[in-house]
Amino acid sequence: MLKYLGERTEFPPELKAAVAVSTPCNLHKSLLELDKPQNWIYSKRFVAKLKQQLYLRESRYPANISKSDIDSCNNLFSIDDLYTGKAHGFKDALDYYEKNSALQFIPHIKIPTLLINAKNDGFLSKDSSPVELARVNPWFHLEMPDHGGHVAFLQNKNETYAEERALEFIEKQLQK
C-alpha cells in the first residue's frame, strides 16, 4: 500500500485515505529480524509454507524451478533469491528488496495515510517505523504503540486497536 501510494500521482476518486499495519518498510532489514533466534518458529513456518507453494509451482512448471533448488532453501532469503525476486522480474532477492521497500516511496505520498507499527513487533527492523519521514510529510502519519506485536493489537473487546484506529482515521479524513 505504501509503495503504491508513493509511486503514483493519480488515484481512483474513491481512494480518500489509507492505513497500513505492521508494515516492514525496509524489506531486507525486516527479513534479517525474522531470521533472529527469537523468531525461529515463525521463520520456519513461513519457509515451510512457501516451500509447499513452490513445490506446487514446480509440479506445474518443471522447466522454471527444480525440486532440488526448492529443497536447498532453508530460510526466507534463499526462497526470495531463488523464486520471489526472479519471478517478478528482479535480478535477485536484494534487488527485489531494494526496489520494493516502502521507505523510498513514503516521501512522495500525497493521500492521508496512517502507518501503525508496534514498538514490540519482533518482525520489523528499527527503520520500519519511519519517524523522520512522518515529521516531514504532512500526508503520512505514524503511530507506534508500545504493544501490539505483529498485527495483533488485541484489546479486551471485539475490535483490535489497529481496527479501531483505522476506522477513526478514515472517518476523520472523510469528514474533511
Side-chain angles (χ1 to χ4, degrees), residues 43-71:
S43 182
K44 287 294 181 194
R45 184 181 308 151
F46 292 149
V47 168
K49 287 184 180 268
L50 289 169
K51 285 174 86 168
Q52 285 176 350
Q53 293 298 312
L54 289 177
Y55 289 128
L56 289 173
R57 283 177 178 73
E58 184 272 335
S59 69
R60 297 178 95 188
Y61 309 101
N64 296 342
I65 191 168
S66 74
K67 185 176 182 320
S68 63
D69 286 341
I70 299 166
D71 290 341

Side-chain angles (χ1 to χ4, degrees), residues 25-159:
C25 293
N26 184 318
L27 294 173
H28 186 232
K29 287 186 180 178
S30 290
L31 179 117
L32 295 174
E33 290 296 316
L34 267 171
D35 274 345
K36 288 185 174 178
Q38 66 266 27
N39 291 321
W40 175 83
I41 193 164
Y42 302 109
S43 182
K44 287 294 181 194
R45 184 181 308 151
F46 292 149
V47 168
K49 287 184 180 268
L50 289 169
K51 285 174 86 168
Q52 285 176 350
Q53 293 298 312
L54 289 177
Y55 289 128
L56 289 173
R57 283 177 178 73
E58 184 272 335
S59 69
R60 297 178 95 188
Y61 309 101
N64 296 342
I65 191 168
S66 74
K67 185 176 182 320
S68 63
D69 286 341
I70 299 166
D71 290 341
S72 70
C73 292
N74 57 6
N75 59 34
L76 292 167
F77 181 86
S78 62
I79 289 173
D80 286 342
D81 205 43
L82 170 69
Y83 181 77
T84 311
K86 293 173 186 160
H88 295 95
F90 298 95
K91 183 176 76 171
D92 55 22
L94 290 175
D95 187 42
Y96 169 72
Y97 301 149
E98 180 183 324
K99 291 178 178 164
N100 287 289
S101 290
L103 284 177
Q104 63 193 320
F105 299 100
I106 291 171
H108 309 290
I109 290 175
K110 300 282 189 260
I111 285 183
T113 303
L114 173 64
L115 170 60
I116 305 171
N117 278 356
K119 290 179 184 176
N120 72 337
D121 187 331
F123 292 7
L124 301 182
S125 64
K126 299 290 182 234
D127 62 353
S128 280
S129 294
V131 176
E132 188 54 34
L133 293 175
R135 274 193 206 123
V136 298
N137 183 342
W139 299 98
F140 179 70
H141 308 275
L142 172 66
E143 289 186 13
M144 297 174 21
D146 289 333
H147 304 285
H150 190 71
V151 197
F153 299 102
L154 300 176
Q155 302 183 105
N156 199 13
K157 49 178 134 175
N158 289 338
E159 298 81 24

